Amino acid sequence: MILNKIEIQEKQALEPKSHNFISEKTKKIAVISDQIAGGIGGAESILFALYELYPDIKTYTTVFDSNIFPKKYKNMNIQTTWIQQMPFAKNKYKVYFPLMPMAIESLDLQEYDVLISSHHCVAKGIIPRPDAFHICYCHSPARYIWDLYWTYSKLNNFNIVQKIITSYLSHYLRMWDCSCSNRVSLFLANSNYTASRIKKFYNRNSEILYPPVDTEKFKHQSYGDYYLMVGRLVAYKGYELAVDAFNENGKKLVIIGDGTEYKKLKSKANDNIIFLGRVCDEILKEYMNNCKGFIFPGKEDFGMVMAEAQAAG
């Protein structure tokens, strides 16, 4: 499906003599991803889908934590930037966000004919060869420098000095983010919502290509006595709102996932809220297929886990 989109758009955008359809035999392809750390999400699903298409493809990223990778994908060829060598980079990669534009631009990708960036942070900022075709699968323009900038500032309780520093850095990052959008030949958006944000912030049109969701592994079995939340425990997904609501109503809530908000959420949760952390697929399926209802109060760009919940009835 991804390759069909690429083939059509490449034929329309480029002269036939210089670029034919994308083929592993005739084109040298690389994948660029934002940091692969902190958990598995929608961005990683794109990497896995591309790996299944091209097992020998090389992937470049700013920071890589191999501990979060499923065993099935342990053989992926992943190259990192110099941020990987920085202190505590795997766990504290967000601290290095202001340096990531420089890090992603330091990657030498001039040997590649086709570049596929899986972008939600800085991945689209790579510097392609002038005649290379750069496809950006955009999960979201970076929320924390655009429309959720004020939300993140409030959640972090920044003091006046921190507000000044983050304001300055965000201003610089917005200019860079807009500038490097011109290095993209084709934008693919994971939803109409994301496409509208790409148009608003980058003034670029995009094609809609929904992310791969394995709906076959879920199947409704029964309605248990609990509600369920699944995903990365990060501020913008609304977990704190759900915890407050279930603290008040006393109903049973099971939360599957890990992230930066884990300790904070667990410390304020009552006994009726159970945190399971990361679990294997079999346990996830068991809870998903038998929950009373699925809870997701946040605003998502696509929301793969919600599609999975629908598949489970």
Side-chain angles (χ1 to χ4, degrees):
M1 188 175 181
I2 291 176
L3 290 185
N4 289 340
K5 282 281 187 184
I6 294 170
E7 179 180 343
I8 292 169
Q9 292 297 329
E10 189 182 26
K11 283 181 177 179
Q12 292 175 346
L14 299 171
E15 290 294 330
K17 291 182 180 179
S18 60
H19 283 273
N20 300 315
F21 62 86
I22 293 176
S23 166
E24 188 177 18
K25 294 180 180 179
T26 60
K27 302 292 184 185
K28 196 162 186 181
I29 307 170
V31 176
I32 304 91
S33 178
D34 288 310
Q35 64 277 354
I36 307 173
I40 299 297
E44 287 70 33
S45 71
I46 296 299
L47 294 185
F48 299 154
L50 288 167
Y51 175 72
E52 289 174 7
L53 288 170
Y54 297 127
D56 297 324
I57 203 167
K58 187 177 288 187
T59 298
Y60 294 85
T61 186
T62 51
V63 180
F64 175 52
D65 183 359
S66 60
N67 294 323
I68 69 170
F69 248 41
K71 291 181 180 179
K72 182 180 179 181
Y73 302 106
K74 289 291 185 181
N75 292 327
M76 285 183 67
N77 186 351
I78 297 178
Q79 306 292 317
T80 60
T81 65
W82 44 263
I83 290 182
Q84 184 79 13
Q85 310 304 320
M86 303 293 277
F88 311 108
K90 290 181 182 180
N91 296 319
K92 303 293 184 182
Y93 57 87
K94 291 182 180 179
V95 174
Y96 298 108
F97 181 49
L99 300 178
M100 286 185 179
M102 288 185 289
I104 207 75
E105 288 183 339
S106 72
L107 293 171
D108 183 359
L109 304 173
Q110 299 303 293
E111 63 182 291
Y112 296 103
D113 305 297
V114 179
L115 299 162
I116 305 173
S117 58
S118 176
H119 172 83
H120 61 82
C121 182
V122 298
K124 77 177 190 313
I126 48 97
I127 300 176
R129 204 174 63 212
D131 63 332
F133 197 79
H134 177 191
I135 302 102
C136 174
Y137 190 96
C138 186
H139 306 276
S140 171
R143 305 177 191 91
Y144 26 82
I145 61 172
W146 292 107
D147 45 320
L148 291 185
Y149 167 73
W150 297 272
T151 301
Y152 277 86
S153 296
K154 291 176 183 176
L155 288 169
N156 286 294
N157 295 316
F158 288 149
N159 59 39
I160 185 64
V161 175
Q162 290 172 318
K163 286 180 179 179
I164 293 172
I165 293 172
T166 55
S167 179
Y168 173 78
L169 289 174
S170 297
H171 179 66
Y172 148 70
L173 290 166
R174 287 186 201 105
M175 290 191 293
W176 179 84
D177 198 36
C178 287
S179 172
C180 67
S181 67
N182 293 315
R183 305 171 194 172
V184 176
S185 307
L186 167 67
F187 270 104
L188 298 176
N190 62 358
S191 67
N192 286 294
Y193 175 67
T194 298
S196 67
R197 296 173 73 242
I198 292 171
K199 182 64 176 177
K200 173 64 72 176
F201 301 133
Y202 304 149
N203 197 27
R204 294 288 303 275
N205 294 323
S206 55
E207 297 289 331
I208 310 298
L209 182 62
Y210 298 123
V213 180
D214 184 3
T215 56
E216 296 299 319
K217 72 178 182 180
F218 298 104
K219 185 177 181 181
H220 174 68
Q221 294 175 348
S222 68
Y223 290 109
D225 65 341
Y226 62 92
Y227 293 86
L228 181 66
M229 294 187 77
V230 179
R232 290 180 296 115
L233 274 56
V234 292
Y236 78 91
K237 289 184 180 286
Y239 282 91
E240 188 166 8
L241 179 61
V243 168
D244 289 340
F246 278 80
N247 276 342
E248 184 174 333
N249 66 34
K251 296 178 180 180
K252 186 176 180 181
L253 175 65
V254 175
I255 298 178
I256 292 177
D258 198 1
T260 54
E261 297 288 292
Y262 182 89
K263 290 182 180 179
K264 175 184 175 182
L265 293 169
K266 192 170 184 179
S267 66
K268 71 177 300 185
N270 293 339
D271 294 339
N272 59 302
I273 302 175
I274 300 169
F275 290 81
L276 297 182
R278 292 178 189 167
V279 300
C280 64
D281 268 1
E282 290 306 313
I283 294 177
L284 173 60
K285 285 190 288 186
E286 179 70 20
Y287 276 96
M288 186 73 88
N289 292 339
N290 294 281
C291 65
K292 191 173 184 178
F294 188 77
I295 308 297
F296 201 104
K299 183 186 289 186
E300 267 287 8
D301 306 293
F302 177 84
M304 293 177 66
V305 71
M306 288 183 279
E308 292 173 339
Q310 289 176 324

